Amino acid sequence: MCAVALAGCRREAPEDAIRAQVAALQSAIEQRSASDVADVLDEDFIGPQNMDRRGARQMAAAMMLRHQRIGVLTGPVDVALQGEDRATVRTRAALTGGEGIALLPDSAQAWRIESGWRLRDGVWRITSLKWTPILE
């Protein structure tokens, strides 16, 4: 009985917690919820061209207004921990939209994505994000 109680109290491993947040972000995009996308971003988030958390939420909302259906196709997710409260996540992804599997944006493109993560108040959130096209 004590072993069961202790197992229930054990904290989730950092890599598993980050992977869960990556899955939550993917779900937020597919559910077309810009506010849920923003929930995964740290208050100090910085993206391409100095995009802040608010700008990222607005970009997500605009994309979601343009496309009735959005899917996220990801490759393997590589999590590299840096100490107890920082991590880097690398993956590849493509967004799909509309009927079937049409790629977003209108030109077919897959992306290399690298994100920085921070553990704050027990929750892993994205602090930085950059994406580069795989096909040029």
Side-chain angles (χ1 to χ4, degrees), residues 106-134:
D106 296 331
S107 61
Q109 188 59 263
W111 307 91
R112 281 185 193 91
I113 300 170
E114 182 174 320
S115 53
W117 292 72
R118 176 189 310 161
L119 180 65
R120 189 191 300 239
D121 299 326
V123 179
W124 286 95
R125 289 197 169 82
I126 300 173
T127 57
S128 65
L129 182 64
K130 64 181 177 181
W131 56 87
T132 55
I134 292 174

Side-chain angles (χ1 to χ4, degrees), residues 34-128:
S35 62
D36 288 348
V37 168
D39 286 346
V40 181
L41 305 178
D42 192 73
E43 61 190 45
D44 296 332
F45 172 81
I46 188 77
Q49 291 139 5
N50 294 318
M51 177 189 309
D52 62 6
R53 187 172 185 249
R54 182 176 179 212
R57 184 186 184 291
Q58 289 172 338
M59 183 182 80
M63 180 184 68
M64 292 166 185
L65 285 173
R66 284 195 315 258
H67 301 282
Q68 290 298 315
R69 293 180 55 205
I70 300 174
V72 181
L73 305 172
T74 60
V77 176
D78 176 42
V79 178
L81 297 172
Q82 294 136 7
E84 294 182 13
D85 66 345
R86 300 282 181 161
T88 300
V89 175
R90 292 179 183 89
T91 191
R92 295 177 183 196
L95 296 179
T96 64
E99 298 303 317
I101 57 168
L103 291 174
L104 296 177
D106 296 331
S107 61
Q109 188 59 263
W111 307 91
R112 281 185 193 91
I113 300 170
E114 182 174 320
S115 53
W117 292 72
R118 176 189 310 161
L119 180 65
R120 189 191 300 239
D121 299 326
V123 179
W124 286 95
R125 289 197 169 82
I126 300 173
T127 57
S128 65

